[in-house]
Amino acid sequence: MYIKSNILRSPHAFSTRQGGVSRHSHTSSLNLAFSRGDDDETVLQNLAIFSKEVGFDKESIVSFPQIHSDRIFTVSHLDCGKGYYFRDDLEGGDGYVTNERGVTLGIKTADCVPILFEAEKAGSVVAIGAVHAGWRGTVSKIATKCVDRMVCEFDLDKKHIRASIGPCIHKCCYEVGSDLYDAVCRDLGEQLALRYVVPSSTASGKYKCDLAGLNRELLLDCGLEDGNVELVSECTCCQPQKFFSHRYSGGVRGTMLSVIFIK
């Protein structure tokens, strides 16, 4: 039902597509997003199953509409339930930070990069963060902006922040056009583009992009320590029976949820 990080100490999970009650072939079985073909009751039932397995209160979830941006929210108990139990008039964004217990941060993905963060003081986790990094969010440095937000909001030291980059599409399957290469060159520099967006060996004018590796390097460059940045190697597109993949399914699929909370 879910995968865990090897370095995060906070309760957390990267969901798979397994263990839920969705019956459509494309959402079977743990679809955790609305508007994918399941009725709302089924999605909420899947959330209840997932939350029970992971150990969080289902109504503590915070997961706003995602818009492939670099927008990050500082959230509190007043935001609990937004995105699942309260869905009207919500702002869109792609990241969260909090220092409150009883708030579960949720990032929805189906190939894009989920990144979960935690920060310690005096041996205890005092703040967490989560971001959804598609290629636009990656190029906009949403991951490093989340680190900066945590440092500024909660008076933290970067050497005490850990980040886990969860299951996502990897370079083996992520073939892209020159627009992504050009965007990385323009916003992140040619050297990063040459390392992480490389010409395809099978398709002229196409590139293979390593979004996970790019996010990892950006986090190291912004000051996180090497041992505090983990990259889960599983590719969502390579394992369609285990993960939902937008690329593999041509967009006809369910959605996974990555969560973290302070115990």
Side-chain angles (χ1 to χ4, degrees), residues 42-230:
T42 297
V43 175
L44 293 176
Q45 190 173 349
N46 281 337
L47 178 63
I49 292 169
F50 180 56
S51 65
K52 183 176 181 181
E53 288 293 322
V54 178
F56 65 93
D57 178 353
K58 63 183 186 297
E59 294 185 0
S60 71
I61 191 74
V62 179
S63 190
F64 296 169
Q66 294 173 184
I67 56 175
H68 292 275
S69 69
D70 62 351
R71 190 173 191 187
I72 297 168
F73 299 93
T74 300
V75 296
S76 72
H77 67 280
L78 298 175
D79 298 296
C80 287
K82 290 182 179 178
Y84 280 94
Y85 297 97
F86 308 100
R87 295 164 55 195
D88 294 333
D89 301 320
L90 293 180
E91 298 178 85
D94 293 273
Y96 315 94
V97 298
T98 191
N99 65 347
E100 289 193 17
R101 285 176 168 76
V103 179
T104 303
L105 308 182
I107 294 296
K108 298 183 286 289
T109 59
D111 277 343
C112 290
V113 183
I115 310 177
L116 302 178
F117 300 85
E118 67 180 11
E120 283 192 356
K121 270 188 180 180
S124 297
V125 173
V126 295
I128 53 174
V131 301
H132 159 254
W135 77 260
R136 290 179 179 83
T138 298
V139 169
S140 298
K141 294 187 175 182
I142 188 171
T144 64
K145 289 175 180 176
C146 186
V147 171
D148 291 340
R149 175 72 72 87
M150 292 175 75
V151 168
C152 292
E153 293 267 348
F154 309 125
D155 188 28
L156 302 170
D157 189 324
K158 288 183 180 179
K159 71 180 181 181
H160 296 142
I161 296 178
R162 291 182 287 271
S164 181
I165 300 168
C168 62
I169 193 168
H170 282 263
K171 185 171 77 171
C172 51
C173 297
Y174 194 32
E175 192 169 83
V176 299
S178 60
D179 55 339
L180 199 158
Y181 177 85
D182 293 341
V184 174
C185 278
R186 180 186 68 244
D187 295 338
L188 302 179
E190 185 178 8
Q191 290 305 310
L192 284 179
L194 291 172
R195 286 204 295 278
Y196 293 103
V197 192
V198 300
S200 171
S201 60
T202 59
S204 177
K206 296 290 186 179
Y207 296 80
K208 294 284 191 173
C209 179
D210 180 6
L211 270 190
L214 180 53
N215 275 285
R216 184 177 190 278
E217 180 150 340
L218 290 171
L219 288 169
L220 295 176
D221 286 348
C222 89
L224 267 61
E225 297 186 348
D226 184 69
N228 285 344
V229 182
E230 173 192 43

